[in-house]
Amino acid sequence: MASSRSPESLPELPEQNCEYREVQYWDKRYRDSADSAPYEWFGDFASFRALLEPELRPEDRILVLGCGNSALSYELFLGGFSDVTSVDYSSVVVAAMQARYAHVPKLRWETMDVRALGFPDGSFDVVLEKGTLDALLAGERDPWMVSSEGVHTVDQVLSEVSRVLVPGGRFISLTSAAPHFRTRHYAQARYGWSLRHATYGNGFHFHLYLMHKGRELSVAQLALGTQILSPPRPPTSPCFLQDSDHEDFLSAIQL
């Protein structure tokens, strides 16, 4: 899903992948590109709309994690889903989005760390994230063996997602990470949800994971979840990830 941008309009990349985890990097990036068009990680709304919309209802209270300057929240609103709250830990981009969509007062934007959400339990029917977990894991040295710190970071986010979802709520994660890397993170019984996987995109495929709170994981998924600190078997032949968004870290983000 190649970006349509010219090289001159692309954001400045960090010197090290681990900087993708730091709010300082994002504040600077968004400050330097305040007037730029939305940047879409892993495809725009049209590329996964057919998979996403059947899981949504017009009355759903939707939370978008790590919204950045993506147009996803606005496109959800245009698609008939008017109750959308978007959070990001960069106050710079939150202020920019509040200004950009000031003509849509129903859209809410808040500065918040996805690892410690400031919402009461059961506040949302749907939680969406697109590339946020990927960015938090970008500094991992070995894509086959996630560090205990990385596992803890993902667990903080997923625990918060489960907490703010109502019974019957859905968590939808859009990512470059294939099932043999990401399933073990999602497949934890303590989150209280089921897990389903789909792919989208033309040529190169991205991944959509759907978690349904109140349903159960399969025995096979639970078994994968117990291997969270164990490396999965690497492929028998090289597997190269297309740098579809012109961001270097995407070549090693299969976590």
Side-chain angles (χ1 to χ4, degrees), residues 5 70 72 86 123 186 192 204 235:
R5 296 170 177 234
S70 167
L72 175 59
S86 306
S123 295
Y186 299 139
F204 179 79

PDB file of all heavy atoms in Angstrom, residues 5 70 72 86 123 186 192 204 235:
ATOM      1  N   ARG A   5       2.655  10.120  -1.562  1.00  0.00           N
ATOM      2  CA  ARG A   5       3.374  11.358  -1.337  1.00  0.00           C
ATOM      3  C   ARG A   5       4.688  11.399  -2.083  1.00  0.00           C
ATOM      4  O   ARG A   5       5.308  10.369  -2.324  1.00  0.00           O
ATOM      5  CB  ARG A   5       3.652  11.537   0.152  1.00  0.00           C
ATOM      6  CG  ARG A   5       2.397  11.676   0.985  1.00  0.00           C
ATOM      7  CD  ARG A   5       2.762  11.603   2.444  1.00  0.00           C
ATOM      8  NE  ARG A   5       1.564  11.801   3.237  1.00  0.00           N
ATOM      9  CZ  ARG A   5       1.447  12.713   4.195  1.00  0.00           C
ATOM     10  NH1 ARG A   5       2.441  13.492   4.479  1.00  0.00           N
ATOM     11  NH2 ARG A   5       0.339  12.832   4.868  1.00  0.00           N
ATOM     12  N   SER A  70      -3.908  11.129  11.397  1.00  0.00           N
ATOM     13  CA  SER A  70      -4.706  10.322  10.475  1.00  0.00           C
ATOM     14  C   SER A  70      -6.111  10.899  10.336  1.00  0.00           C
ATOM     15  O   SER A  70      -6.676  11.447  11.290  1.00  0.00           O
ATOM     16  CB  SER A  70      -4.789   8.888  10.992  1.00  0.00           C
ATOM     17  OG  SER A  70      -5.785   8.155  10.306  1.00  0.00           O
ATOM     18  N   LEU A  72      -8.656   9.020   9.941  1.00  0.00           N
ATOM     19  CA  LEU A  72      -9.563   7.918  10.257  1.00  0.00           C
ATOM     20  C   LEU A  72     -10.765   8.367  11.080  1.00  0.00           C
ATOM     21  O   LEU A  72     -11.905   8.005  10.782  1.00  0.00           O
ATOM     22  CB  LEU A  72      -8.799   6.816  11.002  1.00  0.00           C
ATOM     23  CG  LEU A  72      -9.629   5.639  11.513  1.00  0.00           C
ATOM     24  CD1 LEU A  72     -10.347   4.939  10.365  1.00  0.00           C
ATOM     25  CD2 LEU A  72      -8.747   4.650  12.278  1.00  0.00           C
ATOM     26  N   SER A  86     -10.796  10.541  20.098  1.00  0.00           N
ATOM     27  CA  SER A  86      -9.459  10.194  19.626  1.00  0.00           C
ATOM     28  C   SER A  86      -8.426  10.692  20.621  1.00  0.00           C
ATOM     29  O   SER A  86      -8.511  11.827  21.103  1.00  0.00           O
ATOM     30  CB  SER A  86      -9.204  10.825  18.256  1.00  0.00           C
ATOM     31  OG  SER A  86     -10.229  10.485  17.342  1.00  0.00           O
ATOM     32  N   SER A 123     -16.401   2.397  29.105  1.00  0.00           N
ATOM     33  CA  SER A 123     -16.774   3.675  28.494  1.00  0.00           C
ATOM     34  C   SER A 123     -17.052   3.586  26.998  1.00  0.00           C
ATOM     35  O   SER A 123     -17.666   4.489  26.431  1.00  0.00           O
ATOM     36  CB  SER A 123     -15.663   4.711  28.707  1.00  0.00           C
ATOM     37  OG  SER A 123     -15.491   5.013  30.070  1.00  0.00           O
ATOM     38  N   TYR A 186      -2.212 -10.872  21.833  1.00  0.00           N
ATOM     39  CA  TYR A 186      -3.653 -10.706  22.000  1.00  0.00           C
ATOM     40  C   TYR A 186      -4.302 -11.889  22.710  1.00  0.00           C
ATOM     41  O   TYR A 186      -5.345 -11.735  23.355  1.00  0.00           O
ATOM     42  CB  TYR A 186      -4.331 -10.551  20.630  1.00  0.00           C
ATOM     43  CG  TYR A 186      -3.888  -9.357  19.828  1.00  0.00           C
ATOM     44  CD1 TYR A 186      -3.672  -9.468  18.456  1.00  0.00           C
ATOM     45  CD2 TYR A 186      -3.699  -8.121  20.423  1.00  0.00           C
ATOM     46  CE1 TYR A 186      -3.280  -8.377  17.701  1.00  0.00           C
ATOM     47  CE2 TYR A 186      -3.296  -7.022  19.676  1.00  0.00           C
ATOM     48  CZ  TYR A 186      -3.092  -7.160  18.313  1.00  0.00           C
ATOM     49  OH  TYR A 186      -2.697  -6.084  17.567  1.00  0.00           O
ATOM     50  N   GLY A 192     -10.266 -11.271  28.393  1.00  0.00           N
ATOM     51  CA  GLY A 192     -11.679 -11.634  28.299  1.00  0.00           C
ATOM     52  C   GLY A 192     -12.286 -11.463  26.931  1.00  0.00           C
ATOM     53  O   GLY A 192     -13.458 -11.095  26.810  1.00  0.00           O
ATOM     54  N   PHE A 204       0.714  -6.188  -1.318  1.00  0.00           N
ATOM     55  CA  PHE A 204       1.181  -6.444   0.039  1.00  0.00           C
ATOM     56  C   PHE A 204       0.001  -6.380   0.994  1.00  0.00           C
ATOM     57  O   PHE A 204      -0.821  -5.474   0.917  1.00  0.00           O
ATOM     58  CB  PHE A 204       2.238  -5.416   0.454  1.00  0.00           C
ATOM     59  CG  PHE A 204       2.726  -5.630   1.860  1.00  0.00           C
ATOM     60  CD1 PHE A 204       3.656  -6.612   2.120  1.00  0.00           C
ATOM     61  CD2 PHE A 204       2.221  -4.876   2.903  1.00  0.00           C
ATOM     62  CE1 PHE A 204       4.093  -6.842   3.415  1.00  0.00           C
ATOM     63  CE2 PHE A 204       2.641  -5.099   4.191  1.00  0.00           C
ATOM     64  CZ  PHE A 204       3.588  -6.079   4.450  1.00  0.00           C
ATOM     65  N   PRO A 235      10.797 -18.163   9.582  1.00  0.00           N
ATOM     66  CA  PRO A 235      10.480 -18.768   8.296  1.00  0.00           C
ATOM     67  C   PRO A 235      11.683 -19.496   7.725  1.00  0.00           C
ATOM     68  O   PRO A 235      12.824 -19.177   8.035  1.00  0.00           O
ATOM     69  CB  PRO A 235      10.103 -17.557   7.424  1.00  0.00           C
ATOM     70  CG  PRO A 235      10.794 -16.405   8.066  1.00  0.00           C
ATOM     71  CD  PRO A 235      10.786 -16.707   9.542  1.00  0.00           C
TER      72      PRO A 235
END
